Amino acid sequence: MSVRVSRLARLLNMVPYFLANPGISKEEAARELGVTVRDLVKDLEQLFVCGLPGYGPGDLIDLSFEEDVVSVVFSAGMDRPLRLTSAEATVLLVALRSLAEMPGMVDPTAAQGAIAKIESAVGSAALVANGEGLDASGASATAQESTVAATVRSALQRDHALRLTYYSASRDAVSERVVDPIRSLLVDDQTYLQAWCRQAEGVRLFRFDRIDGAVELDEPSVPPAQALGSDAHLELFSDDASLPQAHLRISAAHGWILDNYPMDPVQTLSDGSVEVTMRYGSLDWMARLLVGLGSAATVIGPKELVEAVRERARAALAAYDALEV
């Protein structure tokens, strides 16, 4: 009997289904799952890149479906239909809500649909007991997608170019540029658009919360072939030799700074402090950062940066003196 179910539920139960029906034909499987053969193949291709943490060749679900029949080579532990406990459903709901709140990663409507189905399957009573799923009024919370995120996601789906108005924190400047979107990424709990920047003629990462405006253009996204299929550009802070370089000393008690800023250690001194270098695009921005770090960072060079930090420090002290009058 043909039964239509959501794609998520179908994917979760496909591996046990094919284990129970070894060598079944694509046509028969599609008929029983209530989908077309084309959609079945899409589901199999999706499962082919799913698996266990590590996600290496030996961790992913392995299926054979090149011929007319489908068989499971490696199940990655999905040997029986999924049955979520209340605790498991809660963890899944928390993850889905987090994903829905990250701009540009998923369609919030689709995520909310999955959340609603899980809530319905598990039961609202179990979710209330775990303190998840309902707001103060008892209604399920709904994530709202920003106009910028929706525009970028639309351009990615339709392979269209984008015109972005973007704030660069490293240069402390707003610029407008046309980009060819490649994909959206999650890096260090922030969402980014990876795209070919026509102005810079290179792959760049654009943080969603720094995109001030986005316009989807009526022209195709055409990133060069060398920009695709490589993760070489995923480093957020590349060492651009054209930018000036600061020479700093970070105190031993403030080693956390090295984990939060793109600094390259040069040497560790006898007192535990570390000499580092750091590229910067704006002298004013860099001076503002260093003044904010206070005694945790000492500027060794270059000379213009030392003077800029001194001037900002003097201005700050003068402002304090004015307040005391």
Side-chain angles (χ1 to χ4, degrees):
M1 181 175 63
S2 174
V3 180
R4 289 194 171 274
V5 296
S6 70
R7 189 184 187 209
L8 174 61
R10 188 169 67 248
L11 286 171
L12 291 173
N13 290 286
M14 260 191 171
V15 175
Y17 170 81
F18 285 115
L19 283 172
N21 297 275
I24 190 172
S25 69
K26 293 178 183 176
E27 290 76 10
E28 185 179 354
R31 184 170 59 254
E32 290 201 0
L33 293 171
V35 296
T36 64
V37 173
R38 181 181 178 183
D39 286 340
L40 175 69
V41 172
K42 286 184 179 179
D43 288 345
L44 293 172
E45 290 172 344
Q46 181 71 56
L47 284 171
F48 205 68
V49 294
C50 299
L52 301 170
Y55 306 107
D59 305 314
L60 300 177
I61 294 171
D62 193 0
L63 303 163
S64 175
F65 55 93
E66 292 298 328
E67 304 298 331
D68 183 55
V69 298
V70 182
S71 59
V72 179
V73 179
F74 176 60
S75 67
M78 295 184 65
D79 302 320
R80 58 185 177 82
L82 178 67
R83 294 292 185 270
L84 292 177
T85 66
S86 176
E88 290 170 337
T90 299
V91 172
L92 183 56
L93 286 169
V94 170
L96 279 171
R97 287 197 177 89
S98 298
L99 194 61
E101 292 171 359
M102 294 175 180
M105 292 302 295
V106 297
D107 180 353
T109 303
Q112 290 298 329
I115 289 169
K117 289 175 182 176
I118 295 172
E119 288 179 338
S120 176
V122 176
S124 58
L127 297 174
V128 170
N130 284 281
E132 300 291 343
L134 304 177
D135 60 20
S137 65
S140 179
T142 302
Q144 299 295 322
E145 186 173 36
S146 70
T147 302
V148 165
T151 301
V152 173
R153 192 167 51 77
S154 173
L156 281 165
Q157 291 176 339
R158 300 168 64 186
D159 289 327
H160 282 179
L162 281 166
R163 177 178 290 109
L164 300 180
T165 302
Y166 187 73
Y167 168 69
S168 174
S170 62
R171 297 182 181 275
D172 196 21
V174 176
S175 62
E176 186 173 287
R177 61 190 78 193
V178 175
V179 303
D180 297 297
I182 298 174
R183 55 178 168 165
S184 57
L185 297 164
L186 179 63
V187 182
D188 294 337
D189 296 325
Q190 292 289 344
T191 51
Y192 293 82
L193 168 67
Q194 184 186 28
W196 176 265
C197 177
R198 297 182 185 179
Q199 176 181 317
E201 296 186 343
V203 175
R204 296 291 185 269
L205 292 180
F206 300 96
R207 212 168 101 171
F208 268 84
D209 61 355
R210 292 177 182 165
I211 301 175
D212 292 335
V215 177
E216 184 177 355
L217 303 180
D218 190 20
E219 59 179 276
S221 172
V222 285
Q226 68 267 25
L228 303 174
S230 171
D231 290 339
H233 305 281
L234 297 186
E235 179 63 43
L236 294 182
F237 302 102
S238 57
D239 193 16
D240 187 346
S242 66
L243 297 176
Q245 186 178 63
H247 188 189
L248 313 170
R249 183 167 61 250
I250 306 300
S251 72
H254 295 84
W256 61 267
I257 294 175
L258 279 70
D259 296 326
N260 287 268
Y261 295 95
M263 297 177 176
D264 294 318
V266 175
Q267 64 174 328
T268 301
L269 304 179
S270 59
D271 62 355
S273 61
V274 182
E275 287 192 10
V276 302
T277 59
M278 177 179 172
R279 299 283 183 184
Y280 59 94
S282 165
L283 181 64
D284 286 343
W285 180 89
M286 191 65 185
R288 185 166 67 246
L289 169 67
L290 293 170
V291 169
L293 292 176
S295 61
T298 302
V299 188
I300 300 173
K303 184 178 179 180
E304 59 268 21
L305 179 59
V306 173
E307 290 301 321
V309 170
R310 283 175 178 167
E311 286 300 318
R312 278 190 170 269
R314 290 191 190 105
L317 289 172
Y320 277 111
D321 289 340
L323 290 174
E324 292 175 359
V325 175

